[in-house]
Amino acid sequence: MVEPVNIRSLPITVGDLAVSYGEVMALDHVSPDIRSGEFMTLLGPSGSGKTTLLMAIAGFIRPRSGSIRFGEEEVVASPPHKRGIGMVFQNHALFPHMNVAENIGYPLRIRGVSRHETEA
């Protein structure tokens, strides 16, 4: 049996985030907070900003204004590869030559996490 790994998660604080696509306001000053270890679900109709919020948190979209903090660190201007988070896109942008576990474990592997920890 593999022992569980104690991975500390940081809280994510989004403050007054605004994102627009041209004249369309996709996020109009939203401020969700995700506590350390909390599991959060975004639910809403198509076009309500769910993916835009996730893309901004991941760093793939630059907001017009607002703040994104991981713990105490402001990351709104940090590039995606410096944020240390992963995202699986809704359009199935997975590695086709890998199974589900390998796709999920890939970001951990490139960060040097041991196979034992990744399996846990």
Side-chain angles (χ1 to χ4, degrees):
M1 184 165 126
V2 177
E3 295 281 326
V5 176
N6 184 10
I7 298 175
R8 187 177 76 94
S9 63
L10 295 173
I12 298 174
T13 305
V14 178
D16 206 26
L17 203 68
V19 175
S20 63
Y21 300 109
E23 297 296 316
V24 176
M25 194 67 137
L27 296 177
D28 192 4
H29 303 280
V30 299
S31 299
D33 286 331
I34 305 165
R35 294 177 299 202
S36 180
E38 182 176 36
F39 183 86
M40 180 179 181
T41 302
L42 299 173
L43 180 64
S46 181
S48 64
K50 303 177 301 289
T51 299
T52 298
L53 176 59
L54 293 173
M55 295 285 279
I57 290 171
F60 298 119
I61 293 175
R62 184 55 96 45
R64 285 176 41 173
S65 62
S67 170
I68 302 170
R69 290 193 334 256
F70 295 169
E72 297 300 317
E73 181 184 0
E74 175 61 56
V75 299
V76 76
S78 298
H81 69 280
K82 299 277 186 173
R83 295 187 185 206
I85 64 170
M87 181 173 175
V88 177
F89 296 93
Q90 64 189 25
N91 63 350
H92 311 294
L94 301 174
F95 295 111
H97 64 287
M98 294 181 186
N99 64 30
V100 173
E102 290 167 334
N103 268 281
I104 293 169
Y106 179 75
L108 299 173
R109 191 180 80 205
I110 64 170
R111 285 179 175 80
V113 175
S114 75
R115 183 175 178 172
H116 177 76
E117 289 177 297
T118 299
E119 288 174 357

